[in-house]
Amino acid sequence: MTKEQWVRQLGEATERTIRWYPAWNERQEMITSCGDYPNVPLLGTQGAINYNPELTARQAGFPMVSSPVQEVLTPLWIEGTQAHRGEHHRKIRRAWASVVRQGATWRTRSCGASPEYRAWLEQRVHLVGLPWGSIQHQDQATQVYEIQETLQVEALQGTLEQMKTEQGTLKRKLETALEEARQERRLSDEFSRKARAEKEGRLKIGQFLKAVDQEMCSSRAERDQLVVEKEQLEETVMTLKTRDVEREDEMHGLRERVLLLEEELKAAQLSRDHLQNQRGSGLLALVEARGKIDEARSQLEELKRTLESWKQRCQDIADEAEIQVRAATVDAQFWKDRYVKLAWLANQALMSIPRRLRAAEGMMDPTKTPREIKEFLEHCRALYDMVKELSAPP
């Protein structure tokens, strides 16, 4: 369709000819706002905008009851990549984290519109200036439909108010009944407390009388017991008087025995003093003897230590001499072996030297041999003869 056809189509459209929403698109709730935004922000690749669900309630199956507030119509328009950075981007992301949805409890199911909304829409068309001019007037059927719907809404609102009034009345009656029930419960509790108090009082009086009776019985028994105890005390006093006389006689005898014991004690003290004197003299002699014994013992210990030291010293000398003898034996064996080997080597040399010397002398030409070689051979001959004389046995 061309632009002119779209303009004519939209200009001739009425509410009865528009299919506001298909049956398959009927939903129970719709998004009305996001976060702090009064409407719904949208973030795209080329920027960010917003749309107003309040103006599209018919497409979701809800009526247009009142005109939207100016805050909802505030546009959001951000072009380019600025929408993907900065405060707007963070705010839009946070807003979509708290989406506000409303549904059947928000409005009743209908595709109608209230006169208030129609007046606002006509004013908005004149303000914005749509290309097709003014809004087409509604036909009679549409007006009847809207009037009936408005009457139904008013009737429902009246019914709702009446139900609220009845609910308030019932609530007050219920509160009154609850208060009466609470008062009756309080009275019943008070009567119960009084009855329990009277019962407890009677029980306490009975217990008190029983206790008084028991005390009287116990006082009579105590009085009888006191009489018996008095008689027993009188008998005890007589017995004690008799015992006092006997004790005085015993005390007289004891005094005489004490005098005798004192005399014996004095004699024992004299003998003890004598024994102590003898013991002191014996202790002095014992101390002197012990001093002499200790001195002799110390001298004996000193002699033992001296003897042990000499014994240890002699043992060390013997051990050292034995070590030196062993070392000398080993050295003698070593040098003996070396001497035998050296003697054998000398004998071998003495045995080979004459033969070689004779061979050298035989090879010497008297006319051609240099004088130095002749002198060397003669010197070797003389040296050999001297060694032979020295190695000959005596």
Side-chain angles (χ1 to χ4, degrees):
M1 295 175 62
T2 62
K3 182 178 180 181
E4 290 77 8
Q5 290 175 345
W6 273 110
V7 170
R8 186 173 62 255
Q9 183 74 18
L10 293 175
E12 295 175 355
T14 61
E15 293 185 9
R16 299 297 298 274
T17 60
I18 295 175
R19 187 180 181 185
W20 292 103
Y21 73 99
W24 58 266
N25 194 32
E26 183 174 345
R27 61 195 68 180
Q28 298 298 324
E29 59 183 12
M30 61 178 290
I31 297 175
T32 58
S33 63
C34 292
D36 297 334
Y37 287 93
N39 41 38
V40 179
L42 296 176
L43 185 64
T45 58
Q46 302 299 323
I49 60 172
N50 64 342
Y51 82 97
N52 304 310
E54 293 285 345
L55 302 178
T56 60
R58 283 184 172 183
Q59 281 79 357
F62 298 101
M64 305 298 293
V65 178
S66 61
S67 60
V69 297
Q70 186 63 32
E71 184 182 4
V72 176
L73 301 177
T74 303
L76 175 65
W77 180 267
I78 303 174
E79 294 184 356
T81 58
Q82 294 181 357
H84 293 274
R85 61 176 181 269
E87 182 64 26
H88 288 290
H89 182 262
R90 290 192 295 271
K91 187 176 180 181
I92 292 173
R93 289 176 63 88
R94 287 196 301 268
W96 275 99
S98 57
V99 178
V100 179
R101 292 181 172 87
Q102 294 182 353
T105 58
W106 177 45
R107 295 178 184 176
T108 57
R109 285 289 184 182
S110 175
C111 293
S114 64
E116 180 184 356
Y117 173 75
R118 296 183 188 283
W120 174 84
L121 181 60
E122 188 171 356
Q123 183 182 1
R124 186 72 176 176
V125 169
H126 288 298
L127 178 63
V128 176
L130 294 179
W132 55 80
S134 61
I135 299 175
Q136 294 289 333
H137 294 287
Q138 303 173 7
D139 54 4
Q140 189 66 26
T142 303
Q143 291 180 358
V144 171
Y145 167 74
E146 291 179 355
I147 291 170
Q148 290 178 356
E149 184 178 355
T150 304
L151 292 174
Q152 290 178 359
V153 170
E154 291 177 355
L156 290 173
Q157 289 179 352
T159 305
L160 181 61
E161 292 294 334
Q162 185 179 0
M163 291 177 66
K164 287 182 179 179
T165 304
E166 292 177 356
Q167 184 180 4
T169 304
L170 293 174
K171 186 176 181 180
R172 287 192 296 273
K173 290 181 179 180
L174 179 61
E175 290 176 353
T176 304
L178 290 174
E179 184 65 26
E180 292 177 355
R182 282 195 292 270
Q183 290 180 359
E184 290 179 358
R185 190 179 294 110
R186 283 197 297 270
L187 292 174
S188 177
D189 294 339
E190 187 175 356
F191 290 150
S192 299
R193 283 196 300 272
K194 288 181 179 180
R196 285 196 298 271
E198 291 178 358
K199 185 177 180 180
E200 291 175 357
R202 288 195 297 270
L203 291 174
K204 288 181 179 179
I205 291 171
Q207 292 175 358
F208 178 73
L209 293 174
K210 188 182 292 184
V212 169
D213 189 14
Q214 290 177 357
E215 288 180 359
M216 291 178 67
C217 293
S218 62
S219 62
R220 284 195 297 270
E222 289 177 357
R223 185 179 60 189
D224 297 338
Q225 183 70 23
L226 288 173
V227 172
V228 174
E229 289 179 356
K230 183 179 179 181
E231 293 175 355
Q232 291 177 356
L233 286 173
E234 290 177 353
E235 293 177 357
T236 305
V237 168
M238 294 299 295
T239 305
L240 289 174
K241 287 180 179 180
T242 305
R243 289 181 180 179
D244 288 338
V245 174
E246 294 176 355
R247 286 178 182 176
E248 287 179 357
D249 296 336
E250 291 178 358
M251 288 294 293
H252 182 68
L254 289 173
R255 289 193 189 96
E256 293 178 353
R257 291 183 63 185
V258 167
L259 293 174
L260 293 174
L261 289 173
E262 287 179 353
E263 292 177 357
E264 292 178 358
L265 181 61
K266 289 178 180 179
Q269 286 180 353
L270 292 174
S271 62
R272 187 185 64 182
D273 294 338
H274 180 67
L275 291 173
Q276 285 181 353
N277 293 329
Q278 290 180 355
R279 182 181 178 185
S281 59
L283 287 173
L284 291 174
L286 182 62
V287 169
E288 291 177 357
R290 179 170 291 180
K292 292 179 180 180
I293 291 170
D294 293 338
E295 185 178 357
R297 187 176 295 171
S298 62
Q299 291 177 359
L300 181 61
E301 292 293 333
E302 184 68 25
L303 289 174
K304 285 183 179 180
R305 286 194 295 271
T306 305
L307 181 61
E308 289 293 333
S309 63
W310 279 105
K311 184 178 180 181
Q312 184 66 32
R313 187 174 180 183
C314 292
Q315 184 67 32
D316 294 340
I317 292 171
D319 293 340
E320 187 177 358
E322 186 178 357
I323 292 170
Q324 290 180 359
V325 168
R326 289 178 182 176
T329 303
V330 173
D331 292 343
Q333 185 67 29
F334 174 76
W335 288 112
K336 183 179 180 180
D337 183 61
R338 291 296 179 89
Y339 174 75
V340 170
K341 290 180 180 179
L342 184 60
W344 180 82
L345 183 61
N347 291 330
Q348 293 295 326
L350 289 174
M351 291 173 64
S352 61
I353 287 173
R355 186 174 60 255
R356 293 180 181 276
L357 187 58
R358 284 194 299 271
E361 289 176 351
M363 293 173 62
M364 185 180 62
D365 189 0
T367 59
K368 296 180 180 181
T369 302
R371 184 173 56 83
E372 291 82 1
I373 294 175
K374 290 180 180 180
E375 292 178 356
F376 175 73
L377 291 175
E378 291 175 357
H379 180 70
C380 288
R381 172 63 66 177
L383 183 61
Y384 172 71
D385 294 338
M386 184 177 63
V387 171
K388 187 175 181 182
E389 290 177 359
L390 292 173
S391 61

